[in-house]
Amino acid sequence: MAKITMNKDELLAITTAHGQGEKFVFLKNGETATTLTQFAYGIFQPGEVCSRHAHETMEEYFYFLKGSGEYIVG
C-alpha cells in the first residue's frame, strides 16, 4: 500500500504536462491497486492557461478553491 501524503507542503512542485502552472502529486499510477492515474493539486497563476485537450485513458476533475477560472466541457 502506498503512503499517502495529504499535505502539499511536504511535496515537490512540478511543472504540469501542459507547460504552465504547477502541481503537487499525492498519488501516481501504480501506487494503488486501482486504475487511478494520478491524484494531484494544481496551481495556476493569473494569466496561465491549460490548452484545451482530452484524455482517452482517464477522466479529469477540477475544483476551483480560490480565485476564478473558466473550464470548457465537451
Side-chain angles (χ1 to χ4, degrees), residues 1 3 13 18 20 28 34 40-43 49 55 59 65:
M1 183 108 197
K3 177 184 181 238
H18 309 289
Q20 292 195 26
K28 55 188 170 208
T34 70
Y41 175 90
I43 298 174
V49 299
H55 299 279
E59 295 180 8
L65 301 176

Side-chain angles (χ1 to χ4, degrees), residues 33-56:
T34 70
T35 58
L36 176 73
T37 304
Q38 189 176 90
F39 177 65
Y41 175 90
I43 298 174
F44 284 85
Q45 298 300 322
E48 289 184 319
V49 299
C50 177
S51 61
R52 192 171 181 178
H53 66 281
H55 299 279
E56 293 184 23

Side-chain angles (χ1 to χ4, degrees), residues 4-61:
I4 301 172
T5 302
M6 296 306 291
N7 181 350
K8 83 164 185 64
D9 295 330
E10 295 176 21
L11 302 171
L12 295 175
I14 59 173
T15 303
T16 69
H18 309 289
Q20 292 195 26
E22 59 183 11
K23 67 180 175 180
F24 304 85
V25 179
F26 297 102
L27 284 171
K28 55 188 170 208
N29 191 23
E31 291 183 336
T32 71
T34 70
T35 58
L36 176 73
T37 304
Q38 189 176 90
F39 177 65
Y41 175 90
I43 298 174
F44 284 85
Q45 298 300 322
E48 289 184 319
V49 299
C50 177
S51 61
R52 192 171 181 178
H53 66 281
H55 299 279
E56 293 184 23
T57 60
M58 64 178 255
E59 295 180 8
E60 201 165 20
Y61 298 91

